[in-house]
Amino acid sequence: MSGGPKRMWGGRFAQDTDALVQAFNASIDVDRELALDDIDGSVAHATMLGERGIVPEADARRLVEGLEALRGDVAADRFDFQVALEDVHMNLEAALTERIGPVGGTLHTARSRNDQVATDLRLWLKRQIRTLIELLRRNRRALVAAADRHFGVILPGYTHLQVAQPVLFSHHLLAWQEMLARDEGRLADALARMDESPLGAGALAGTTFPIDRHRTAELLGFARPAANSLDAVSDRDFAIEFLAAAATCMMHLSRISEELILWSSREFGFVSLPDSHTTGSSIMPQKKNPDVSELIRGKTGRVYGALMGLLTVMKGLPLAYNKDMQEDKEGVFDAVATLRACLALQAETVRLLEPNAERMRAAAADAYSNATDLADHLAKNGVPFREAHDVVGRLVAHALERGVPLEELSLEEMRAVDPRIDEAAFDALALETVVGQRDVYGGTGHERVRARILELRRELGDDHEPGPGTSDPGAPEP
């Protein structure tokens, strides 16, 4: 180690650290991301040390001034991080001591790198989650705006990827919105649970100094200090919970992407994706590839991997801190960056996509998606539903043989299958009727979807001008 930075823990060691061990042990290439959060924690700690008289107030002021100068260098990317100093904590402390002298060594009074890193990661993740929640809100607003803009477009709904029943395209978009609303709720729940400060827990047992952990928690914007020092330094549940929420959100984005990929294919032709968010082929000039949606679908695995990686790191660790936990950050950092990029791109894709209303309607009409409504019509006129189901099944078979939709069968053809069918059956088969009669809370009926759009616009603070879906001020509430 001669000629390089001095180890800040080497007093009891007779030999220098092996170069390979030093490189293997260091985390600075990853945890330098926490530098500004580490400075925040140090400023709060130094302030409290001065207020409590643990260090002289003048020394505390020098510590804070030195840390603020370091903040400027880090923010401007002028700070030289060194592998020999292992991690972000010791890099910053060494630089501080070099700048302000021996008083810099008092900064580590009554704390440990164990409570430092746990505090830093919580601070960093709290900030990132707030950004992700706003991105989720942006996506939800984009979906509600698209549902409003394209109100009235009829889309075939699917089960088993087979046409099932027609729905409003707006209703489908709002189903995606519900997924992302739950994701927002999960992140908000995780944020509330992680809102406690480990600072002051020390290495594992607290400290003999008369510190004020409530004060440092307050200075750092935490709701409370962690209640148990052993748990405070060894808990990574907050990171696991975030990764679980992120993985679920990526699963939702992947499902949305899968539908956009299918719908934009020539075989479906339901939507046109924006040129700005698609790519071409190096060999096939006709191609328009949904690469953004495919990459979102593919990157879901990265976030799943981060979750499984941290669960595996933590599964066998005894209390309290173990070096294994150095592996907690890289996956979290990558998951945040991945989710942030995917959310930003998905919002723009939704904002710019255009549905092919004619193609959607034709697909719904051609696949007997109104068959259940004819059965319902018969049931409402006294035919037991199981009998009605059988009658309509035979009518579908007859229509398939003729190659026509149900509504193009004559009344005589229908009555030949069951004489209880009346002229009103044709009204029941009209797609607008099929959609509109599902007037139950949460259903695809026009008034229900219109009311939900209005409700969501209020919830999301979206004050744009009403579109065709919400132009009726007298639309009933659900």
Side-chain angles (χ1 to χ4, degrees), residues 293-416:
S293 297
E294 290 175 353
L295 280 170
I296 290 173
R297 187 176 60 183
K299 286 178 182 293
T300 301
R302 296 174 72 111
V303 181
Y304 287 4
L307 171 60
M308 293 309 301
L310 187 52
L311 282 169
T312 304
V313 165
M314 296 301 297
K315 72 175 182 63
L317 296 188
L319 295 176
Y321 182 82
N322 296 270
K323 190 69 170 180
D324 315 47
M325 292 162 70
Q326 183 169 293
E327 294 297 308
D328 62 352
K329 288 174 283 297
E330 192 167 8
V332 171
F333 293 166
D334 185 74
V336 166
T338 299
L339 182 54
R340 189 170 57 214
C342 291
L343 284 170
L345 287 165
Q346 189 75 285
E348 285 300 290
T349 299
V350 167
R351 186 177 68 84
L352 296 169
L353 73 82
E354 288 294 331
N356 183 337
E358 184 178 339
R359 176 67 177 146
M360 287 181 178
R361 182 185 176 84
D366 288 348
Y368 305 100
S369 64
N370 51 2
T372 301
D373 291 80
L374 181 55
D376 286 346
H377 170 73
L378 291 172
K380 289 173 184 176
N381 285 280
V383 180
F385 182 79
R386 280 299 160 206
E387 287 185 32
H389 186 285
D390 180 69
V391 168
V392 176
R394 285 184 282 143
L395 284 171
V396 169
H398 179 63
L400 280 168
E401 286 181 6
R402 286 199 51 205
V404 297
L406 281 172
E407 58 270 28
E408 289 189 15
L409 294 176
S410 67
L411 182 60
E412 290 71 23
E413 286 177 290
M414 290 187 180
R415 283 179 168 166

Side-chain angles (χ1 to χ4, degrees), residues 51-118:
E51 291 174 351
R52 298 288 290 176
I54 297 170
V55 302
E57 287 191 14
D59 287 352
R61 285 195 297 271
R62 289 185 64 194
L63 289 171
V64 171
E65 290 169 0
L67 287 164
E68 293 298 347
L70 284 179
R71 185 195 304 279
D73 287 346
V74 170
D77 200 25
R78 292 192 303 264
F79 191 88
D80 182 22
F81 292 99
Q82 300 183 55
V83 172
L85 290 170
E86 294 184 10
D87 57 37
V88 65
H89 323 295
M90 293 202 297
N91 266 268
L92 291 170
E93 185 180 333
L96 179 68
T97 302
E98 182 180 340
R99 293 184 184 200
I100 69 173
V103 69
T106 65
L107 179 61
H108 208 55
T109 306
R111 72 174 183 179
S112 161
R113 283 186 292 173
N114 295 356
D115 61 346
Q116 268 187 275
V117 69

Side-chain angles (χ1 to χ4, degrees), residues 118-134:
T119 302
D120 293 356
L121 187 54
R122 284 176 189 260
L123 286 171
W124 184 90
L125 196 48
K126 281 177 61 180
R127 189 172 68 253
Q128 300 300 326
I129 285 176
R130 292 189 188 102
T131 299
L132 292 170
I133 285 174
E134 181 49 44

Side-chain angles (χ1 to χ4, degrees), residues 7 85 111 114 121 129 136 138 146 201 250 280-281 349 384 388 411 432 442 457-458:
R7 294 178 301 190
L85 290 170
R111 72 174 183 179
N114 295 356
L121 187 54
I129 285 176
L136 277 164
R138 186 189 303 173
M250 285 299 299
S281 166
T349 299
L411 182 60
E432 283 74 14
R457 284 179 54 205
R458 289 193 295 268

Side-chain angles (χ1 to χ4, degrees), residues 210-233:
I211 63 172
D212 185 347
R213 294 191 60 220
H214 288 85
R215 176 60 173 151
T216 50
E218 177 189 19
L219 288 169
L220 291 171
F222 284 108
R224 58 198 171 273
N228 183 286
S229 61
L230 282 166
D231 182 59
V233 299

Side-chain angles (χ1 to χ4, degrees), residues 1 5-10 13 17 21-32 81-91 113 323 326:
M1 296 284 295
K6 182 181 178 182
R7 294 178 301 190
M8 302 182 77
W9 45 261
F13 288 82
T17 306
V21 171
Q22 181 183 90
F24 189 65
N25 189 55
S27 60
I28 189 60
D29 286 346
V30 174
D31 64 26
R32 62 192 297 169
F81 292 99
Q82 300 183 55
V83 172
L85 290 170
E86 294 184 10
D87 57 37
V88 65
H89 323 295
M90 293 202 297
N91 266 268
R113 283 186 292 173
K323 190 69 170 180
Q326 183 169 293

